[in-house]
């Protein structure tokens, strides 16, 4: 098994940092002792000189120089020189030693409060959460130093260096970052070469691709290369028309199922998000063997935490349009992806969430904005209610509840030309229920569809999954309909499928011109399955 130190030394080699500028201390000995012959140790007698030499080296070579500093005293002595490096636009990768993390909570001798010690002068500061994250953090520091032209700091506890790391898992940082700027140029050339060599490419899209220019560019690209398109898991917005024949669905959030979906592909082009967004942790590799990953995003942070072979900092629309012109066309017919119809409930049977989604899908106009906050039934909503226009789907990027209800009012207020429908669980709605008062007060004509089962269904299922008994009670006595009315928002209680269809047939045709919100409190049966 490789150690963190060995993996880090490989990162230094890969980034071309073959000199280590340092004034050593005890918290750095485990890293510095027995350096391989291909790495040169350069000693200076004070930390100001250490950083000064590295700054000159970086200016001369045009590449980041590597600096190793002793914990509080070393970093403190170097602050003035680090400030000079920042103003001189000298890229530095600075690793600062820290006491053994196994007893840091006791604040032992030489433990340092290091984050913030150098003030605003570093372009990036990080102490990895786990020892195994250290090599990726140092590679990211290299990219941050290049991008922002200054010192990037990584704090490493002294015991981290001997920790084991599995190289097969890869690093949560891209191997290479290209900056396309206004002219895609060499970055588009490189990705076009990868696409032309790929036998079975796949495209993954995210919220950063949710605009008309990027949708149009992606449609042209995937039609030219014949690739399927997947939406990122837990995406806050749709990055591709989900009624397009090449749209394959939403990626699963667990590693084993993600590998199964991507198995057989040899290149994944990820646009407008990182690689890859997940929720439950699972051991094992992130992607299948043999898959090259390239990420294109205008957000450098998305690039830097991606496990990718190539990352491109670029406007996704302009870059994908240029890429389409350069890549060779392939004659690949789109598959037939029919959605299985949902049978209505039999007389006397309760409504399920899928019945609500199906009824909405059959009635809502193409330009509707659907705001989602229904964690336990999100996969069914994605499957049955596709986004057909940019900004046609909006959800909470962070996953915290309470966003959907007020956000829907704001969306309608910001663009009254588009109808807005918010589909919320009753538990979710209660985190933002007071937003109904504002929606009514300011004439936001949103249709709020509340799926009411009187419980936190998603939490109940997660408790079942870990084999434990949920300590929280149901809240079936909470009257969402009554709360809405008390807050000045018109509301109706829906208890049967026929009532649902009648209400939607009446309300949906009015959505474009409504200036009054309406809440439908729909009693639904709790779903019995969920896979994030």
């Amino acid at each position: 098994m490789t150690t963190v130190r060995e993996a880090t030394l490989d990162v230094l080699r890969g980034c071309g940092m073959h000199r280590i500028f340092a004034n050593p201390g005890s918290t750095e000995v485990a890293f510095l002792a027995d350096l391989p012959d291909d790495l040169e140790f350069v000693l200076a007698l004070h930390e100001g000189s250490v950083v000064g030499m590295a700054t000159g080296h970086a200016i001369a070579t045009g590449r980041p120089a590597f600096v190793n500093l002793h914990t509080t005293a070393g970093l403190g002595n170097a602050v003035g020189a680090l400030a000079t490096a920042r103003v001189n636009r000298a890229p530095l990768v600075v690793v600062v030693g820290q006491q053994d993390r196994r007893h840091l909570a006791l604040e032992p001798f030489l433990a340092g409060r290091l984050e913030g010690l150098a003030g605003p002068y570093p372009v990036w500061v990080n102490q990895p959460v786990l020892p195994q994250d250290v090599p990726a953090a140092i590679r990211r520091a290299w990219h941050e130093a290049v991008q922002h032209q200054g010192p990037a700091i990584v704090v490493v506890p002294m015991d981290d260096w001997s920790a084991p790391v599995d190289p097969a898992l890869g690093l949560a940082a891209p191997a290479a970052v290209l900056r396309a700027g206004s002219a895609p140029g060499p970055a588009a050339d490189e990705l076009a070469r990868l696409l032309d060599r790929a036998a079975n490419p796949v495209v993954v899209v995210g919220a950063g691709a949710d605009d008309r220019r990027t949708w149009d560019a992606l449609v042209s690209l995937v039609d030219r290369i014949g690739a399927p398109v997947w939406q990122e898991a837990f995406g806050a917005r749709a990055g591709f028309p989900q009624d397009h024949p090449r749209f394959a669905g939403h990626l699963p959030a667990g590693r084993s199922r993600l590998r199964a979906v991507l198995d057989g592909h040899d290149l994944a082009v990820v646009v407008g998000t990182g690689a890859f967004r997940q929720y439950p942790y699972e051991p094992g590799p992130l992607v299948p063997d043999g898959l090259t990953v390239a990420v294109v995003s205008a957000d450098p942070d998305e690039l830097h935490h991606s496990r990718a072979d190539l990352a491109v900092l670029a406007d996704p629309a302009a870059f994908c349009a240029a890429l389409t012109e350069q890549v060779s066309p392939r004659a690949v017919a789109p598959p037939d992806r029919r959605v299985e119809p949902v049978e209505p409930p039999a007389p006397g049977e309760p409504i399920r969430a899928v019945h609500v989604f199906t009824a909405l899908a059959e009635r809502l106009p193409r330009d509707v904005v659907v705001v989602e906050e229904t964690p336990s039934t999100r996969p069914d909503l994605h499957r049955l209610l596709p986004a057909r226009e940019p900004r046609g789907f909006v959800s909470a990027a962070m996953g915290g509840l309470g966003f959907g209800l007020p956000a829907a009012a704001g969306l309608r207020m910001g663009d009254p030309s588009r109808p807005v429908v918010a589909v919320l669980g009753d538990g979710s709605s209660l985190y933002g229920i007071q937003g109904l008062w504002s929606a009514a007060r300011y004439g936001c004509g949103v249709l709020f569809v509340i799926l009411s089962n009187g419980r936190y269904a998603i939490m109940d299922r997660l408790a079942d999954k870990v084999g434990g008994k949920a300590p929280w009670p149901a809240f079936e006595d909470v009257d969402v309909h009554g709360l809405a009315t008390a807050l000045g928002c018109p509301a109706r209680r829906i208890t049967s499928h026929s009532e649902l269809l009648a209400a939607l047939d009446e309300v949906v045709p009015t959505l474009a011109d409504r200036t009054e919100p309406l809440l439908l409190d729909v009693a639904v049966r709790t779903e019995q399955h969920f896979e994030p």
Side-chain angles (χ1 to χ4, degrees):
M1 184 69 74
T2 302
T3 65
V4 167
R5 178 179 183 267
E6 291 166 337
T8 298
L9 296 180
D10 284 341
V11 170
L12 266 61
R13 295 182 181 104
C15 293
M17 297 186 294
H18 291 88
R19 288 189 171 116
I20 298 174
F21 296 90
N23 181 268
S26 57
T27 54
E28 294 72 58
V29 171
F31 172 63
L32 295 172
D34 293 324
L35 275 180
D37 292 339
D38 63 328
L39 299 175
E40 180 184 0
F41 182 88
V42 178
L43 175 66
L45 304 184
H46 183 273
E47 288 82 4
S49 297
V50 169
V51 175
M53 290 179 68
T55 299
H57 191 277
I59 293 172
T61 63
R63 301 190 309 272
F66 185 84
V67 174
N68 190 214
L69 297 177
H70 185 44
T71 181
T72 311
L75 178 58
N77 285 344
V79 169
L82 290 170
T84 298
R86 175 68 179 271
V87 178
N88 278 5
R89 302 180 63 82
L92 304 178
V93 175
V94 182
V95 169
V96 180
Q98 174 64 292
Q99 247 286 6
D100 192 309
R101 74 164 69 226
R102 291 171 295 186
H103 66 164
L104 269 179
L106 299 173
E107 295 200 9
F109 180 68
L110 292 182
R113 300 181 183 182
L114 302 175
E115 291 194 37
L117 182 58
Y121 296 113
V123 298
W124 187 69
V125 179
N126 178 256
Q127 178 170 319
V129 176
L130 298 173
Q132 290 75 14
D133 297 332
V134 168
I138 292 173
R139 182 188 281 176
R140 175 167 181 175
W142 189 92
H143 291 310
E144 295 282 0
V146 169
Q147 179 180 346
H148 299 293
Q149 293 293 285
I153 293 178
V154 181
V155 177
V156 183
M158 57 196 295
D159 60 311
D160 283 10
W161 299 114
S162 60
V165 61
D166 185 353
L169 298 180
L171 299 185
V177 175
L178 302 180
R179 290 158 183 83
S182 57
D189 295 341
E190 177 64 22
L191 190 46
R193 282 192 291 269
L194 290 175
L195 277 168
D196 284 342
R197 289 199 298 262
N200 189 17
V202 61
V203 174
V204 176
V205 298
D210 183 27
D211 62 82
R212 172 58 64 190
R213 290 173 56 244
T214 310
W215 276 35
D216 290 346
L218 282 166
V219 167
S220 297
L221 175 63
V222 300
D223 282 343
R224 187 169 179 85
I225 65 176
V229 180
W230 290 85
Q231 171 79 28
E232 65 175 329
F234 297 103
R237 294 167 65 175
F240 190 81
Q242 295 175 355
D243 59 344
H244 190 281
R246 296 195 189 277
F247 183 69
H250 290 71
L251 285 180
R255 291 191 178 197
S256 58
R257 290 189 296 135
L258 177 67
R259 291 195 300 269
V261 166
L262 298 177
D263 191 36
H265 295 287
D266 52 353
L267 173 65
V269 179
V270 181
V271 180
T273 186
F276 289 95
R277 192 172 173 85
Q278 294 191 294
Y279 170 46
Y281 173 75
E282 292 181 9
L286 183 63
V287 297
D289 290 341
L291 180 70
T292 298
V293 177
V295 181
V296 179
S297 176
D299 181 351
D301 192 59
E302 285 184 340
L303 303 181
H304 289 317
H305 66 234
S306 293
R307 194 156 294 176
D309 302 280
L310 173 66
V312 179
L313 182 64
D315 171 65
F319 187 86
C320 290
L323 186 61
T324 302
E325 294 179 0
Q326 293 181 233
V327 73
S328 302
R330 308 176 190 219
V332 180
D336 182 9
R337 300 190 187 277
R338 297 180 183 177
V339 176
E340 291 296 322
V342 175
E343 295 295 326
E349 286 189 351
I351 308 170
R352 295 166 51 214
V354 291
H355 299 134
V356 179
F357 303 152
T358 300
L360 288 170
E362 292 170 349
R363 290 163 175 79
L364 293 180
R366 184 175 186 85
D367 65 341
V368 69
V369 179
V370 174
V371 182
E372 175 273 327
E373 198 167 86
T374 171
S376 61
T377 55
R378 182 183 290 120
D380 287 328
L381 184 144
H382 284 321
R383 179 171 56 90
L384 297 169
L385 201 55
R388 294 171 288 175
E389 292 290 332
R391 198 164 34 85
F393 173 81
V394 178
S395 186
M398 282 296 291
L401 301 179
F403 164 83
L405 193 151
L411 283 160
R412 178 67 174 174
M413 183 180 287
D415 183 4
S417 70
R418 294 184 67 174
V420 178
V421 176
V423 183
L424 316 169
D426 53 351
S428 300
S429 73
L430 295 175
Y431 287 90
I433 197 74
Q434 68 275 11
L436 292 175
W437 182 89
S438 298
R441 173 66 177 78
Y442 296 103
C444 303
V446 177
L447 174 61
F448 297 97
V449 180
I450 309 298
L451 306 178
S452 292
N453 55 22
R455 65 196 69 249
Y456 293 127
I458 182 67
M459 297 302 299
D460 292 345
R461 278 178 227 154
L462 291 173
D464 287 342
K465 192 171 183 178
V466 301
K469 181 181 178 182
W472 48 85
F475 46 87
E476 294 165 329
D477 51 333
V478 174
D479 180 5
V480 175
H481 167 273
L483 289 171
T485 302
L487 290 164
C489 177
R492 303 181 192 176
R493 177 69 170 167
I494 305 294
T495 59
S496 70
H497 192 243
S498 60
E499 286 180 330
L500 173 67
L501 299 187
L504 293 179
D505 285 339
E506 175 191 340
V507 175
V508 169
T510 72
L511 288 178
D513 302 316
R514 288 187 71 90
T515 57
E516 182 182 61
L518 176 65
L519 182 142
L520 300 182
D521 183 9
V522 185
V524 296
R525 186 181 74 188
T526 302
E527 304 290 339
Q528 298 302 314
H529 63 89
F530 172 73
E531 280 191 285

